[in-house]
Amino acid sequence: MTRSSRTTSHHRSGAVARMLGVPVATLRNWERRYALTQPATSPSGQRLYSADDVRRLTLIKQLNDLGHAIGQLAALDMAQLQQVAATHANTLAATQSAGGRAAALAPRPPLRLAVIGAALGERLRRPTLLQRLGAALVLLGPFEDAAQAAAALADTPVDAVLVQKPQLHPDWLAAFDTAAPALAATPKAVLYRFAADAVSDALADAGLRLLREPQPDSVLAQWLQDLSAPHAGTAPTLPLLPTPAPRRWSDAALADFASLSSTIACECPRHLAELLVQLSHFEAYSADCEHRNAADAALHGHLVRVTAACRNSLEAALEHVARHEGLLLPR
């Protein structure tokens, strides 16, 4: 990390008050009651604060916002103040880490799979097949066709649709979406026997998963386990990424941190805060993008996870830099 040289410039009380986000009267009251710093005085009687004074006052203000009494902080030197901030940050990080581990250990909800095809429904209830599948799936149906499935599942969340269709024709998918518009955007998988190569290619391009029959139960079970993985409609070229941790800090908290950290010579904390804001906005944008088909939805889901993973890494970097500089993390 490259540091710029420390300057010997001084700041008047009005400028320091604006940096801290407090009225000038509050800053003067702190000085009068607690003697937090020993500012120099100009020939005209103005208080002049050095960069070290501003760093000390910034840290005291942050700790005070988190509940630490100024009267207890006033007697501490800069190293002791940084130790208080580090202890507070470490305790908060440990609490957040414990919460993250608990969330990671929580069982993943089963895939709610709508089944179309009576014979397929009977097959999926075979004990040997269920044993291979485990508890990853909740079977809905079987239904005779798309229209019956749509009517029966009107108020039921569905994660994926599995269809048994002996013959696939060019307009099959369009007819399915017309009969069941509520399921049009739901990831689909099809077991089929006959289809022209052009039809198979078009359905695969639309994001459907295809499996030509006949296949043994072991292959069908493995295929369904793959279908039940996160992002069932993900294209095979996109790697499955771990679920990222949620955002740690809001835009407002990062903006406050950036303004406070601008009082030190190293500008890395401010730049990291600004990057985190931009990444979080792109993450939200990708999540809200409209999807043309299942493959397009999978791509944007992948972008969300990649961006969130970058955000998680930069959040950890910001925490490390903040501790190194003696700054308290955003709330």
Side-chain angles (χ1 to χ4, degrees):
M1 183 183 302
T2 302
R3 293 175 174 273
S4 60
S5 59
R6 304 262 180 190
T7 64
T8 57
S9 62
H10 289 73
H11 307 277
R12 294 189 176 187
S13 57
V16 174
R18 286 193 296 273
M19 293 180 191
L20 299 180
V22 299
V24 175
T26 298
L27 180 61
R28 291 175 179 171
N29 183 50
W30 286 353
E31 289 293 335
R32 183 173 61 255
R33 294 184 60 184
Y34 305 110
L36 298 181
T37 59
Q38 295 180 345
T41 306
S42 70
S44 62
Q46 285 279 350
R47 289 175 176 264
L48 300 177
Y49 296 82
S50 67
D52 288 339
D53 291 335
V54 175
R55 284 167 56 86
R56 174 179 170 80
L57 289 170
T58 297
L59 188 52
I60 289 175
K61 171 64 165 53
Q62 290 178 310
L63 289 169
N64 179 248
D65 288 344
L66 289 170
H68 297 270
I70 291 184
Q72 296 176 344
L73 301 174
L76 304 181
D77 59 25
M78 193 61 181
Q80 292 171 322
L81 288 171
Q82 290 174 339
Q83 182 59 46
V84 173
T87 301
H88 191 112
N90 287 333
T91 302
L92 181 61
T95 302
Q96 292 174 335
S97 177
R101 286 194 298 269
L105 294 174
R108 183 184 299 158
L111 183 84
R112 294 163 298 215
L113 182 67
V115 179
I116 299 177
L120 179 58
E122 294 178 3
R123 185 178 182 185
L124 292 177
R125 289 186 172 85
R126 291 177 184 173
T128 54
L129 187 58
L130 290 175
Q131 185 176 5
R132 287 181 177 273
L133 286 175
L137 297 178
V138 171
L139 301 180
L140 306 173
F143 305 104
E144 293 182 1
D145 52 35
Q148 186 185 62
L153 301 174
D155 299 320
T156 303
V158 178
D159 298 314
V161 179
L162 180 61
V163 183
Q164 188 172 40
K165 187 70 175 177
Q167 296 181 350
L168 294 175
H169 47 79
D171 59 347
W172 174 81
L173 182 58
F176 184 101
D177 291 344
T178 299
L183 299 176
T186 305
K188 300 176 184 65
V190 183
L191 278 76
Y192 71 101
R193 288 185 179 272
F194 305 103
D197 289 345
V199 174
S200 299
D201 291 344
L203 292 177
D205 291 341
L208 271 72
R209 296 190 176 197
L210 304 174
L211 184 65
R212 173 165 282 176
E213 296 188 292
Q215 296 287 349
D217 284 352
S218 58
V219 174
L220 180 57
Q222 186 178 34
W223 190 61
L224 288 172
Q225 287 172 347
D226 184 49
L227 182 67
S228 67
H231 296 284
T234 303
T237 55
L238 297 180
L240 289 176
L241 300 175
T243 302
R247 187 178 179 185
R248 290 180 63 177
W249 302 299
S250 67
D251 286 1
L254 288 170
D256 288 344
F257 179 78
S259 64
L260 290 174
S261 64
S262 65
T263 62
I264 65 176
C266 176
E267 296 186 354
C268 290
R270 177 172 62 84
H271 292 320
L272 283 171
E274 293 170 351
L275 284 172
L276 279 170
V277 171
Q278 294 177 11
L279 277 174
S280 298
H281 287 187
F282 181 74
E283 181 183 348
Y285 168 79
S286 297
D288 292 339
C289 276
E290 295 183 2
H291 308 312
R292 296 183 297 270
N293 50 49
D296 186 56
L299 173 62
H300 285 91
H302 181 73
L303 288 176
V304 170
R305 285 176 173 257
V306 169
T307 307
C310 294
R311 172 180 50 75
N312 288 165
S313 296
L314 280 183
E315 286 172 341
L318 178 62
E319 180 177 354
H320 180 77
V321 172
R323 292 181 184 178
H324 182 272
E325 294 296 336
L327 296 171
L328 203 60
L329 291 170
R331 286 181 293 176

